[in-house]
Amino acid sequence: MKLLLCLFLAATLAQASAFDEAAFGVHLNGWHRDGSARYSLNGSNYRTLKPIKTTDTNGNTVLRVTVLHAANSWAEVPFDLEVTTAPDGTLQGTRISGSPRGQKLDTGLISPPSPPEAAAPSKDPASAATEKARPSDPISEMKSALFASFDSKIATAAETKDTRKRDLLARIAGPEPIDATAISAGLRYNLDLLLGGSAMPSK
Amino acid sequence: MKPMIPGIPLPSLRRTLLSCCALILTPALLQANEALDVLEGKKNATDVPLPPAPDDGKAADAAEEVIPLSDEWAASPLDPVWSKAVLFDDPSNPYVQQLAISGLFHWSGAWGHASPEAGSPEVDLDGTRTRRARLGARLRAFRNTEIEAVAEFAGDSNFNGIERLKGTTRIFDNAYVSYGKMKPRFSIEYSTEPQDLLVPERSFLVNMVAPASTLGIMIGQDTPTWDWGLGLFSGDNDSNIPSIQGNGFLVANLAYEEAGKSSKGGGLRTRWHADYIYNFDDNNNPAIPRYDVAGRRSANGNQLIKNNPAFRHLFSTGVEIEQGKFSFAGDFIVASGDTDAWGVSLTPSYWLLPGTLQVVGRYHFADSDQKGGLVGGMGVGSDPYFDSSPVFVGDEYHSFYFGTNLHVYKDELTITNGIEHVLLKDDAGSGFDTDAWIWHSGARLSF
């Protein structure tokens, strides 16, 4: 079991470390000359900026994409999505950060759960059943934890007082709507692509 | 034993004092004693009543009273229009990361008159100008180089032309080298881009002493706290491309910036700066100052200006403070050479509606030991380099400005209105002392 999990993680992460920007762009309707891709998902419009790859102080590779949700005809709500991998290709974690309506939002680096230690076979049938029921996909667990954190934080941020400077036209038009569901869906879609999923958005 | 306080016997006083101390210390002592009892095993921890926890809700409410103003702008309906100025933007491209057009249109109007004392006619200051009309481009390439080219279409023939043609290459993380035609960094107002100025026009002394935008090279470093720069500039002053002329002048900049929290919990940003310019060519440098008024006559009293002001040393130091809705800039300038002058500018501002309406004040003082040592303009012609508007001379200058800035679209489309009162004194006598009331209106559009 432990071996399988390690192999699964390494395979996923090898994909992330050998990142194919062009293929990523194809799944987002292609890159425009302004360095972004435009696409729709379930009636919501998004832009994703070209990924930027950096190396952190620990030598890990950080792949960051900015996903912008079109809140209305003139406002976009941007979030940074980061995938961090170790030099050997092991996934270290994912992170979402942004500042909706001027409120800092950061999920912090959410790491995949470590594989369970190999334990002696239990004689207790109830314990064995629990072991069997435990989710076996650490990537899914990591994504669940990431978006659980994100969803709670964005709900708080959207309700907090806007501290940004607002010009005359912004005051007349009012603040941009924060559609947490649509933003979350856009980020999930991009994360799935970064971690190796594939789907085609509508144009 | 005699009582310490006449009329109050000692046992009574002691009892009173002990009672007071007991009242003050009782809760703390009780908790401390109970904690000791728990540690010594005399009491069970669960049996000890705990003091009430501070009301988290109230604490949160109190914390919310101070909301620091963010530097970030809220999305605005004109964002999609302004974003068209960026023609190409791709940080991942190894050769060209960004190509954008830039522009500034600054319209300025002033209404008022200057009244010299007896003997001289009033000077009409009514007028409007296209003070700046700039169009340019900005290119970011090779991940470390930025090239700016800006053409100026406003003003006299000696003013319009190529405003800047400048390259900046980053070396390592925070060091840089800049080269080309550019404005030397000197004082707060002259270092601030015109579209970001809080006041309609730079102050009298800055316009009088500031060096020209000319050919130069600068090296420097921007760290999160310390910034420094050192540069050498040509002594030529050409509205298009200057040549290398004379020995030029040396520029040294040093600044310290820190961001912290104020006593009320809001953000507090402070920046100190010191700028120094040494002019190798003394009174034979067309770039310091930028204008030439020799041979002209003053609007106040028709005094002949025999020589253009000349400076060998220019020094400026000051501080900028931002705390929530309030900001302040204070700058001290001294210039010495054939002409000696010094002055201060104090510029407070406050956001009445953050991002929309800002009130601005400025007090400016300039002084010279020489009769007629100060030279400058008023109203829309307050920069003698811009055009041939009437010039005034004196040896002591006071300006009081109060106005409002309406931000229609961020800092890129603003409307300014304000009133200024000017007092200009001159020891030369003969009724040259002048005072003026001027109404300023202006609009700036930049991208």
Side-chain angles (χ1 to χ4, degrees):
Chain A
M1 180 69 174
K2 187 179 174 184
L3 180 67
L4 278 175
L5 281 171
C6 289
L7 284 172
F8 178 73
L9 275 175
T12 308
L13 299 201
Q15 224 169 347
S17 56
F19 181 69
D20 186 346
E21 183 184 287
F24 180 60
V26 166
H27 286 101
L28 302 170
N29 290 338
W31 298 114
H32 287 238
R33 66 176 179 179
D34 67 353
S36 73
R38 298 172 174 81
Y39 53 96
S40 296
L41 296 169
N42 299 325
S44 294
N45 296 322
Y46 303 87
R47 277 199 310 140
T48 293
L49 306 187
K50 273 191 178 178
I52 296 172
K53 195 187 271 191
T54 54
T55 305
D56 69 12
T57 49
N58 299 321
N60 297 322
T61 301
V62 181
L63 191 67
R64 189 179 76 234
V65 294
T66 304
V67 180
L68 304 100
H69 171 242
N72 54 29
S73 61
W74 45 268
E76 291 180 318
V77 184
F79 284 96
D80 288 338
L81 176 62
E82 287 180 8
V83 175
T84 304
T85 51
D88 65 355
T90 315
L91 180 65
Q92 297 296 296
T94 54
R95 174 183 181 179
I96 299 170
S97 60
S99 54
R101 291 192 184 165
Q103 304 301 321
K104 293 268 180 252
L105 183 156
D106 193 344
T107 61
L109 191 69
I110 307 285
S111 302
S114 52
E117 290 297 322
S122 171
K123 290 177 182 174
D124 179 7
S127 164
T130 312
E131 191 82 18
K132 207 172 182 178
R134 185 182 294 165
S136 57
D137 181 358
I139 301 293
S140 298
E141 283 191 55
M142 179 195 66
K143 283 197 274 191
S144 297
L146 177 72
F147 283 98
S149 170
F150 175 73
D151 290 344
S152 69
K153 285 184 164 65
I154 196 172
T156 310
E159 288 167 5
T160 313
K161 186 175 178 180
D162 193 341
T163 56
R164 295 172 301 175
K165 291 195 280 190
R166 288 182 292 155
D167 62 37
L168 182 65
L169 296 175
R171 281 180 191 277
I172 293 168
E176 71 276 23
I178 301 289
D179 185 344
T181 310
I183 293 168
S184 194
L187 288 164
R188 271 179 194 274
Y189 179 76
N190 280 268
L191 182 61
D192 287 344
L193 288 179
L194 292 174
L195 295 179
S198 66
M200 292 302 286
S202 50
K203 299 241 176 190
Chain B
M1 188 182 283
K2 286 185 179 179
M4 289 172 74
I5 301 173
I8 301 179
L10 183 63
S12 169
L13 179 67
R14 188 179 289 162
R15 267 200 306 275
T16 310
L17 286 172
L18 283 172
S19 304
C20 290
C21 290
L23 275 173
I24 294 165
L25 297 174
T26 298
L29 285 174
L30 280 176
Q31 286 160 32
N33 287 336
E34 283 171 335
L36 282 173
D37 289 342
V38 171
L39 286 172
E40 288 168 9
K42 293 175 184 172
K43 274 189 177 180
N44 191 336
T46 52
D47 298 333
V48 178
L50 293 173
D55 189 334
D56 288 345
K58 280 181 185 173
D61 288 345
E64 275 179 10
E65 284 173 10
V66 178
I67 298 171
L69 183 63
S70 165
D71 278 341
E72 194 184 343
W73 284 93
S76 187
L78 286 180
D79 283 347
V81 179
W82 251 256
S83 68
K84 304 281 184 211
V86 180
L87 305 176
F88 176 84
D89 189 19
D90 183 358
S92 64
N93 189 304
Y95 306 108
V96 177
Q97 287 78 56
Q98 192 183 74
L99 177 64
I101 54 168
S102 63
L104 166 63
F105 177 79
H106 179 188
W107 175 85
S108 179
W111 293 269
H113 57 263
S115 308
E117 285 187 355
S120 298
E122 280 196 345
V123 182
D124 186 5
L125 299 173
D126 292 358
T128 61
R129 299 277 193 285
T130 298
R131 181 68 179 81
R132 293 175 180 94
R134 295 178 182 176
L135 193 61
R138 184 178 62 246
L139 177 76
R140 289 187 183 140
F142 310 117
R143 301 193 193 281
N144 67 349
T145 299
E146 181 170 311
I147 295 168
E148 285 179 276
V150 178
E152 174 70 80
F153 299 97
D156 281 350
S157 59
N158 68 333
F159 185 79
N160 62 42
I162 296 172
E163 196 271 332
R164 78 185 74 175
L165 183 57
K166 173 190 176 186
T168 301
T169 300
R170 293 259 155 201
I171 311 159
F172 309 118
D173 274 349
N174 48 29
Y176 66 87
V177 55
S178 294
Y179 38 87
K181 183 182 182 183
M182 57 187 157
K183 204 167 63 168
R185 192 173 183 85
F186 180 75
S187 79
I188 294 171
E189 283 187 354
Y190 197 61
S191 303
T192 304
E193 291 291 340
Q195 59 265 38
D196 298 326
L197 276 176
L198 296 177
V199 286
E201 185 52 78
R202 292 185 289 252
S203 53
F204 187 93
L205 188 62
V206 171
N207 278 331
M208 179 180 157
V209 305
S213 174
T214 186
L215 206 60
I217 183 165
M218 280 211 75
I219 56 165
Q221 195 177 14
D222 295 330
T223 72
T225 48
W226 290 96
D227 301 343
W228 64 268
L230 193 65
L232 190 61
F233 286 78
S234 163
D236 191 15
N237 182 6
D238 191 305
S239 61
N240 289 305
I241 299 293
S243 60
I244 296 172
Q245 180 178 310
N247 294 318
F249 57 95
L250 181 84
V251 177
N253 308 122
L254 184 67
Y256 175 76
E257 186 170 344
E258 67 176 0
K261 285 203 167 188
S262 68
S263 55
K264 289 184 177 179
L268 174 67
R269 225 180 353 240
T270 312
R271 186 177 193 275
W272 297 88
H273 82 94
D275 304 319
Y276 174 71
I277 292 177
Y278 181 77
N279 177 9
F280 292 106
D281 295 325
D282 201 7
N283 57 7
N284 190 28
N285 189 338
I288 300 179
R290 304 167 292 159
Y291 52 87
D292 187 359
V293 291
R296 289 179 65 184
R297 289 190 172 270
S298 74
N300 55 331
N302 202 32
Q303 299 179 79
L304 176 67
I305 305 169
K306 291 178 185 169
N307 299 307
N308 202 42
F311 311 105
R312 181 170 283 274
H313 303 278
L314 296 172
F315 178 73
S316 160
T317 186
V319 64
E320 294 159 272
I321 299 169
E322 276 182 56
Q323 183 184 353
K325 298 175 183 176
F326 175 77
S327 69
F328 172 80
D331 212 5
F332 169 81
I333 295 173
V334 60
S336 70
D338 289 358
T339 310
D340 295 331
W342 70 276
V344 290
S345 286
L346 308 172
T347 312
S349 63
Y350 184 81
W351 284 105
L352 285 178
L353 287 171
T356 303
L357 190 63
Q358 191 175 27
V359 289
V360 178
R362 182 183 67 189
Y363 169 65
H364 176 62
F365 169 75
D367 191 66
S368 174
D369 291 338
Q370 294 149 310
K371 290 174 183 174
L374 300 176
V375 177
M378 293 186 196
V380 287
S382 58
D383 185 354
Y385 180 52
F386 174 68
D387 64 12
S388 53
S389 294
V391 289
F392 296 79
V393 297
D395 58 21
E396 186 181 324
Y397 180 94
H398 300 266
S399 160
F400 305 86
Y401 173 81
F402 180 80
T404 59
N405 298 341
L406 179 68
H407 292 244
V408 179
Y409 175 69
K410 299 184 178 174
D411 286 331
E412 276 78 36
L413 180 55
T414 57
I415 295 169
T416 59
N417 282 291
I419 191 159
E420 184 183 22
H421 182 48
V422 175
L423 296 168
L424 180 61
K425 298 179 181 178
D426 189 3
D427 272 350
S430 307
F432 298 149
D433 288 358
T434 306
D435 75 292
W437 283 95
I438 309 161
W439 177 265
H440 293 271
S441 287
R444 295 178 191 137
L445 185 152
S446 62
F447 52 87

